[in-house]
């Protein structure tokens, strides 16, 4: 383990705040920073160690060798990384932001790459802020951990261990592959939900009154605060544009099939097949990755096992992890 | 009330079967037909009055003056309406099919229009068949009742009363307006869910393993049996094509905005606004329609009140409804 096992969380919104609660609940020392005094007061009132003084928090993380978790929206990450570079450049660093390439590039610009392993817990709700935090948010979730060729095994293990301890399974994935995947399964659903909601809204109040389950579920994430959605989606521009292109193509083909042949079989069947595959994957227990962290060529071999459907549940007995 | 208040349900799938259960649970005499002996046996085993003999069921409905409820998929409605025209042409008739213009036209072809008032309970799940039926399915739902200028007040009241008794509120709506509205808020969500699921599937198994709430909720209805989805969507071709066009236009504009200006603000804001409006409408108590069934120009006046957000909860004291 890097340092003393403590966790320093920068940003106490839904994800960061929930992680502070979760880390404490599993026995970790954990403390956090938020720029809003209201949030810090709310966290303190709930018994958590939180502060508005970023420099003091970073100095403490440096002294303890804490794992620093960057948990702000990507739009606020730049100034945080500046402060980390100045006050905690040797600290092991991860993040819980929903895009990985842009964060990795911001980290690289500040010379922090060697101590950085990005992460992304696939958990969230349409609500936000400290009031919505939940120590159980990560239980049963998948936590993507960036597993690029140059990943530091100690930092990688520190990130993966934290994810495992709060109840998630780890999916090792390359930075670029992560962004392409989440564009399709996390960011695109925000835009299809928004389009579905907007077309319903254009149909008028009587139509909205007739709306039932398919509309309610299909537009749920459109209710997320627009600023949070935009921060996430706009940071993954290239991959999201590609996913949008695929979507438009599928819908245009369905439109043609509907008007020319009177059927929507193509799209309905494709969607049904994909949804059943998702149910199968979500419902089945995945095999465990057996690659030892730090062994020869471990990041590439881990990514291959993950591509085949395996997940990381912790070190094996024969671990070659450097101590 | 028309006849003896009994209800004859043709088709005992999710909607028809649930209506049989619901009608009995509120004290109505109710009986049903299904062509599948397995379904009829399952319904009988649960204590319900069901039969595979369509002619016998229709003769009984005619003798009792039952309200006949056509509850098959639209693709199976033709032969049922043929049998109704031959054996029960005077019976009051409604349906619970998700498109109204095509059913109305099939009814007209058989000379049954005078006894017909279409209906559409906005309730359902991704599962189907007798095993999924639920007597509480309609509680708290909205039940669209076709309220065209030539609607028979007695049949209209019989349909509306049934909807109210099983726990729904009635939304009076013209046949064509209904189909345009459900294309936007019920049928389109199936295609956006299918496209979202298909793009996720194309991204591969690792992407599906990373999928969380936004994908799970946004693609739920893609799991509905394709034949049921197709029967519903393909019967509403013209309105659905228009809703698809609007959707493609919104997504294409978002694509342009994203690549040219780096933002998805337009679509995200529009979707957020529409979703909040939906939440507001779904959460608020609607005022009651005060038009008396059978009074002068009542269908048009009801439709106008419904457009303004009111719903039908039953006759007022000053009802001019013919007895």
């Amino acid at each position: 383990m890097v340092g003393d096992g403590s966790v320093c969380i920068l940003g106490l919104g839904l994800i960061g705040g929930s992680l502070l609660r979760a880390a404490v609940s599993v026995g970790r020392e954990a403390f956090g920073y938020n720029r809003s005094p209201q949030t810090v007061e709310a966290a303190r009132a709930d018994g958590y160690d939180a502060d508005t003084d970023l420099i003091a928090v970073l100095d403490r993380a440096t002294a303890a060798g804490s794992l620093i978790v960057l948990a702000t929206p990507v739009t606020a990450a730049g100034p945080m990384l500046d402060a980390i570079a100045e006050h905690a450049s040797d600290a092991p660093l991860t993040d819980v932001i929903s895009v990985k390439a842009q964060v990795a590039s911001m980290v690289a610009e500040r010379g922090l790459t060697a101590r950085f392993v990005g992460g992304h817990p696939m958990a969230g709700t349409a609500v936000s802020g400290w009031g919505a935090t939940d120590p159980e948010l990560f239980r049963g979730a998948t936590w993507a951990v960036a597993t690029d060729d140059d990943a530091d095994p100690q930092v990688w293990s520190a990130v993966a261990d934290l994810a495992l301890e709060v109840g998630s399974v780890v999916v090792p994935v390359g930075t670029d592959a992560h962004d392409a995947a989440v564009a399709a399964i996390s960011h695109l659903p925000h835009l299809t939900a928004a389009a579905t909601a907007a077309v319903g809204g254009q149909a008028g109040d009587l139509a909205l009154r007739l709306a039932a389950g398919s509309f309610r579920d299909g537009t749920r994430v459109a209710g997320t605060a627009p600023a949070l959605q935009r921060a996430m989606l706009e940071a993954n521009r290239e991959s999201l544009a590609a996913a949008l292109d695929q979507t438009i193509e599928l819908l245009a083909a369905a439109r043609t099939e509907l008007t020319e042949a009177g059927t929507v079989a193509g799209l309905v069947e494709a969607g049904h097949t994909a949804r059943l595959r998702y149910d199968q994957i979500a419902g089945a227990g995945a095999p465990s990755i057996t690659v030892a962290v730090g062994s020869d060529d471990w990041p590439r071999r881990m990514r291959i096992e993950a591509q085949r459907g395996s997940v990381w549940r912790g070190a094996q007995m024969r671990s070659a992890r450097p101590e």
Side-chain angles (χ1 to χ4, degrees), chain A residues 1 11 22 25 39 46 66 69 80 83 94 97 104 126 138 163 168 179 231 241 267 277 298 311:
Chain A
M1 182 170 289
S25 80
T39 296
D46 287 343
S66 310
V69 182
M80 304 300 292
T94 187
I97 296 172
F138 309 103
S168 298
D179 286 1
L267 181 53
R277 182 73 185 145
W298 67 276
V311 299

Side-chain angles (χ1 to χ4, degrees), chain A residues 185-214:
Chain A
I185 54 80
S186 173
H187 299 164
L188 175 69
H190 281 262
L191 294 185
T192 48
T196 306
V199 171
Q202 286 171 18
D205 285 357
L206 188 140
L208 291 179
R209 183 169 297 287
L210 293 177
S214 65

Side-chain angles (χ1 to χ4, degrees), chain A residues 47 51 61 86 96 123 129 142 157 166 173 201 265 293 310 321:
Chain A
D51 208 309
E86 186 173 353
V96 289
T142 52
S157 292
V166 298
V173 59
V293 185
S310 299
R321 177 156 53 131

